[in-house]
Amino acid sequence: MLNLFDFSQKPDYKNEILAGLTVAMTMIPESLSFAILAGLPPLTGLYAAFMMGLVTAVFGGRPGMVSGGAGATVVVLIALMKSHGIDYVFAAVALAGVFQLLVGVFRLAKYIALVPKSVMYGFVNGLAVIIFMAQLEQFKVTVDGATSWLTGSALLTMGALVALTIAIVLLLPKVTKAIPPSLVAIIVVFVLVLVLGINTKTVSDIASVSGGFPPFHIPVVPFSFETLKIIAPYSLVMAGVGLTEGLLTLNLVDEMTNTKGNGNRESIAQGAANMLNGFFSGMGGCPMIAQTMVNLSAGARARLSGIIASLTILAVVLFGAPVIGKVPMAALTGVMIMVAAGTFEWASFRIINKMPRHDIFIGILVAVITVLLHNLALAVLIGVIISALVFAWQSAQRLKINSYSDSTGIKHYEIHGPLFFGAVAGFNQTFTVAEDPQQVILDFKHSRIADMSGIDAVHALTARYAEAGKNLQLKHLSDDSHLLLKNAAPVINVNVI
């Protein structure tokens, strides 16, 4: 019933298991880093990676997509953590989960279809730049609270190990595709550093990954309207960012695998996972495009890889911390750099002179906002708004009105194109009320009244003809136009044939 392993597709279990292990290796340092960035205990990042990964892998909207403690959602909560503390953060995460759950229950995920391709390009390219820039932090060292770039032998060692990782990821597929190159690269560099005793930054230098099972914890906050006023804005933004990144990632995976996911189901799973996070000491999260790309590039196509990744993270927390803590950050950095390169839509450079200028501008703007503000929801929202305004302007220019007089002397105006707010100005300037005969007909056979502005325009035009002692009638109205006018009948005056 749950279709956990999708036996109909006969997945490669070796690929699924190896992909899950690779994803876990790349997710652990990222979840730790984002938790520390937000001022949260490091283990809250790993708990979030485990709970988000397991719930969405089992119940999510599509196989192959990976969720975890993502920086995109955690960044939203930094201000709340500083001002009110960790219990308010947990309460906000749980409330964000409720909002996401409601989006899925009321089947609102379909509105992600309103995101244009240009916004998708900008979103993906912006994320690729963020992933790459985040890896540069591994070339820095913090001493007594002061951060500076690595120098000398430390920098050369880090650079050489990262280069070796990248070389393995690039060259191994030319030799064999039986094993995920990312996992091989991590193991080779790990063994090399261990055998030769190379002194370089490891996972344990970021934070300890040792702990117990996620503890049940009811957030200690006043159950009052004041608390709701404090956490609701953060919860709404977090829910919006998570759903935006999740549903756009889902669409991206759909395109890459030529399959179809379920956005509403993904929203419900994401919401349920974040509610669990709020009560089991997790920092919350959403689908992670970088880890999803790692998963897909390793050959995973079923739900098993996501389950393996989340259970691996839990096993690391419970038992494997001494080993995982020794994994060189250079290996994980190299893998993530290759993920950034694979995520970037290089095709966007080839089409930059071949697509409409406004689409190119929107794509670049969304990418820049994503990189500078790390606010994916805002970047996508601005991109969608600008795209909608451009579309409205172009649609307004398409409104055409032809006129003729029939054998009985009645003048006909044929409207072509929708009558809406953007087209009203041109519509009003078309009619010659003073010169027109006593009977005038507006023919909507090739048009429709789309909104309040259109209703008001025909109402005002009817009034202008009435003041001149003439009669204006509307003809061939569509069913939805009829309904609009019927509902507005108490406040407008029009004559419908």
Side-chain angles (χ1 to χ4, degrees):
M1 289 176 64
L2 296 177
N3 199 25
L4 297 185
F5 304 103
D6 200 357
F7 289 111
S8 63
Q9 291 187 355
K10 297 182 180 179
D12 188 324
Y13 287 97
K14 181 197 70 177
N15 279 355
E16 295 293 321
I17 293 170
L18 294 178
L21 294 174
T22 309
V23 167
M25 292 302 102
T26 61
M27 193 184 294
I28 288 171
E30 189 166 340
S31 298
L32 288 172
S33 299
F34 284 126
I36 294 168
L37 175 66
L40 295 163
L43 278 176
T44 61
L46 296 183
Y47 289 154
F50 161 63
M51 286 182 285
M52 290 296 304
L54 184 61
V55 173
T56 56
V58 176
F59 300 106
R62 66 155 303 111
M65 201 159 79
V66 177
S67 296
T73 52
V74 175
V75 168
V76 173
L77 303 173
I78 293 177
L80 181 61
M81 178 63 188
K82 290 180 178 178
S83 61
H84 288 83
I86 193 168
D87 280 296
Y88 277 83
V89 169
F90 289 149
V93 169
L95 183 60
V98 173
F99 291 143
Q100 292 172 329
L101 192 70
L102 292 175
V103 167
V105 169
F106 290 103
R107 308 181 70 80
L108 302 178
K110 60 186 177 183
Y111 292 109
I112 198 67
L114 295 176
V115 178
K117 193 68 176 180
S118 57
V119 176
M120 279 284 289
Y121 272 132
F123 162 79
V124 170
N125 290 347
L127 276 180
V129 173
I130 288 176
I131 294 168
F132 176 77
M133 296 298 291
Q135 306 319 306
L136 297 182
E137 295 299 313
Q138 303 307 326
F139 290 87
K140 296 180 181 178
V141 62
T142 301
V143 180
D144 297 329
T147 301
S148 60
W149 290 95
L150 293 173
T151 57
S153 61
L155 177 61
L156 291 175
T157 301
M158 186 74 175
L161 292 174
V162 169
L164 175 61
T165 304
I166 292 174
I168 293 173
V169 173
L170 286 173
L171 298 176
L172 185 64
K174 297 180 180 180
V175 179
T176 177
K177 295 183 179 180
I179 307 174
S182 299
L183 183 59
V184 173
I186 293 171
I187 293 173
V188 168
V189 174
F190 176 51
V191 172
L192 187 66
V193 168
L194 205 61
V195 171
L196 299 181
I198 298 173
N199 183 23
T200 186
K201 186 189 294 186
T202 62
V203 171
S204 60
D205 292 326
I206 299 178
S208 171
V209 294
S210 177
F213 195 82
F216 177 71
H217 172 72
I218 298 175
V220 183
V221 297
F223 193 73
S224 64
F225 183 69
E226 289 301 316
T227 302
L228 183 63
K229 284 201 301 184
I230 293 170
I231 66 173
Y234 294 97
S235 298
L236 280 170
V237 175
M238 179 184 170
V241 170
L243 288 174
T244 301
E245 183 166 1
L247 295 175
L248 289 181
T249 302
L250 185 142
N251 282 357
L252 187 65
V253 177
D254 285 351
E255 291 182 10
M256 292 180 64
T257 61
N258 197 27
T259 55
K260 182 64 178 173
N262 187 322
N264 293 310
R265 181 173 171 178
E266 180 62 34
S267 301
I268 292 172
Q270 193 178 146
N274 274 321
M275 289 170 66
L276 275 179
N277 270 294
F279 291 101
F280 282 90
S281 306
M283 68 180 185
C286 68
M288 303 173 76
I289 191 169
Q291 277 67 32
T292 299
M293 294 301 106
V294 169
N295 196 38
L296 295 178
S297 64
R301 293 295 182 271
R303 297 182 182 274
L304 181 59
S305 60
I307 296 172
I308 292 294
S310 59
L311 293 179
T312 299
I313 291 171
L314 179 62
V316 165
V317 172
L318 296 178
F319 315 112
V323 175
I324 299 301
K326 295 179 182 178
V327 172
M329 286 303 302
L332 302 175
T333 299
V335 168
M336 296 306 291
I337 288 175
M338 292 307 299
V339 167
T343 302
F344 196 90
E345 288 281 3
W346 299 102
S348 56
F349 288 121
R350 294 200 302 271
I351 65 173
I352 199 165
N353 294 324
K354 300 176 178 63
M355 293 294 155
R357 292 179 182 175
H358 65 267
D359 281 329
I360 301 301
F361 169 76
I362 290 168
I364 294 173
L365 180 65
V366 171
V368 169
I369 294 174
T370 301
V371 171
L372 294 182
L373 302 183
H374 287 216
N375 191 330
L376 307 179
L378 178 63
V380 171
L381 180 62
I382 290 175
V384 170
I385 289 174
I386 295 176
S387 297
L389 291 175
V390 170
F391 174 77
W393 174 257
Q394 292 176 337
S395 298
Q397 306 310 304
R398 295 191 186 101
L399 184 75
K400 304 296 180 185
I401 302 178
N402 302 324
S403 62
Y404 67 92
S405 296
D406 62 19
S407 57
T408 62
I410 298 175
K411 188 168 185 179
H412 296 254
Y413 286 93
E414 289 184 341
I415 318 297
H416 294 260
L419 181 58
F420 69 109
F421 67 90
V424 164
F427 175 83
N428 289 334
Q429 296 172 5
T430 302
F431 301 93
T432 54
V433 178
E435 291 81 14
D436 284 349
Q438 290 297 115
Q439 294 292 329
V440 177
I441 292 177
L442 277 187
D443 193 336
F444 283 89
K445 185 176 182 180
H446 304 290
S447 177
R448 57 183 291 271
I449 300 172
D451 60 6
M452 179 179 174
S453 298
I455 294 172
D456 185 69
V458 294
H459 166 62
L461 187 62
T462 302
R464 285 170 59 193
Y465 276 100
E467 289 174 5
K470 300 173 182 179
N471 183 36
L472 175 70
Q473 294 178 298
L474 313 182
K475 183 180 180 182
H476 289 147
L477 287 167
S478 62
D479 291 340
D480 54 344
S481 298
H482 265 296
L483 182 60
L484 284 174
L485 295 177
K486 179 181 178 181
N487 292 338
V491 293
I492 66 169
N493 181 25
V494 295
N495 303 311
V496 179
I497 299 178

